[in-house]
Amino acid sequence: MKKRAFDPAASRKVRSCRRAFLLLIAGAALAFGPDARAQPKAPSRVLLYTSVPQELATQFARAFEKKRPDIKVEIYRAGSTEVGAKLAAEREVGGIRADLLWLADAPIYYELRRRGELLAYVSPESKAIPADLKDPKGFFTAGRLINMIIAVNTELLPLAQAPRSWKEFPDFGKRAVMGNPLYSGSNFVTVAAFVHKDGWGWFERARAKGVAIVRGNSEAASALAGKEFAIAMTLDYIITGLIRKGAPLAIVWPAEGAISVPSPIAILKGTKNPEGAKAFVDYVLSREGQEFLVKQEVIPVRGDVAPPKGQPSAAQIKFLPIPYEWAAENASAIRERFEKIMLQ
């Protein structure tokens, strides 16, 4: 057998090829090996539809993400009625996109439950929530308690002369303002409670006296603080926040009772991230979540979390009954009648 002669150039070429091959293997190991698996995963995503004021909703979502950096919360914020219209439109073109719903329009949850569009979830945190603030099968649970009250600008109207009841409110005519139930869920709930109890007489009197209508509760509170009106029907936590900032406002808890709206949190059945959505619900109902809301002047739904300083607890509030299921069944008729009486 003939022995092959040693060729230095060929040997260098072989060594160069081996080195390139080893570098290729090393690169692949870096790209796909254990070090690559150690890289942090991109956070999953949940989409929240809410009527919670934008600033508060954003702050709350960021607090949750700080606790759960593996979940990112995206927010669509609008009035409850607009959110309801968005849900209806999405239902017609392929399905609801939201993972979570957090509105002031509590009756809408009854309609969604009837349609089978909510995911039942009994959060372990819901043990601390009173039975009358949650669905028994876990389709929704109150996430915050907001209260429709009478607010007064004390530079325009001494508190001693302010209305003490809902009955007296329309008598202040053009000095009084309220939000529009065609936009605001809490105003819709208020109208439903009034009408179910006493018919439409209160609104016919309010129109005759000249009570003004603005878009929502924030607009009513801002107009009150800006001295455009002496009294307003609006939400307690918005007024308390303005008082903390120095506005000359005061709250009257109406003699008949406030309209206490338990703004529910719920998961949509079509969610693509049920575990992320459940984690957000857990946070809303947790002590930590409720204490965060208390710092924003919101009355907590948990009995083991103290209310904002100077505010009553949920158990101490006198409130009017809210006919949730009746309001859900008659929502269109209620809005149409209100528009005819108050806006045309």
Side-chain angles (χ1 to χ4, degrees), residues 266-324:
I267 302 172
L268 277 301
K269 196 170 186 176
T271 176
K272 293 180 174 59
N273 188 359
E275 296 310 313
K278 290 176 182 177
F280 186 80
V281 171
D282 291 344
Y283 183 72
V284 170
L285 305 181
S286 69
R287 282 185 64 97
E288 184 177 346
Q290 291 294 301
E291 287 171 348
F292 182 94
L293 292 173
V294 168
K295 292 176 184 173
Q296 315 304 317
E297 312 298 343
V298 177
I299 292 177
V301 292
R302 291 179 66 115
D304 57 356
V305 174
K309 186 178 180 181
Q311 291 288 84
S313 68
Q316 293 172 322
I317 296 172
K318 181 182 178 181
F319 56 86
L320 286 173
I322 299 174
Y324 294 112

Side-chain angles (χ1 to χ4, degrees), residues 157-233:
L157 181 69
L159 190 56
Q161 299 176 20
R164 313 312 297 179
S165 67
W166 292 124
K167 183 179 179 181
E168 297 172 5
F169 188 92
D171 294 336
F172 286 75
K174 295 180 181 179
R175 304 174 75 191
V177 65
M178 63 175 286
N180 188 345
L182 276 62
Y183 171 79
S184 161
S186 57
N187 279 279
F188 170 72
V189 170
T190 300
V191 172
F194 281 15
V195 171
H196 190 261
K197 181 174 180 291
D198 295 321
W200 285 96
W202 191 96
F203 296 96
E204 292 167 346
R205 194 157 57 94
R207 177 62 186 267
K209 296 277 188 179
V211 172
I213 305 295
V214 294
R215 191 179 195 219
N217 295 297
S218 296
E219 288 82 0
S222 295
L224 182 74
K227 299 184 180 180
E228 295 178 46
F229 301 95
I231 63 170
M233 174 194 291

Side-chain angles (χ1 to χ4, degrees), residues 145-152 159 162-169 194 232-240 243-244 250-261 297-300 307-320:
L145 191 66
I146 55 179
N147 299 279
M148 194 67 78
I149 46 80
I150 298 171
V152 183
L159 190 56
R164 313 312 297 179
S165 67
W166 292 124
K167 183 179 179 181
E168 297 172 5
F169 188 92
F194 281 15
M233 174 194 291
T234 187
L235 293 172
D236 57 341
Y237 74 98
I238 299 175
I239 295 300
T240 304
I243 293 172
R244 299 272 190 256
I251 290 176
V252 174
W253 293 87
E256 303 94 327
I259 306 296
S260 294
V261 183
E297 312 298 343
V298 177
I299 292 177
K309 186 178 180 181
Q311 291 288 84
S313 68
Q316 293 172 322
I317 296 172
K318 181 182 178 181
F319 56 86
L320 286 173

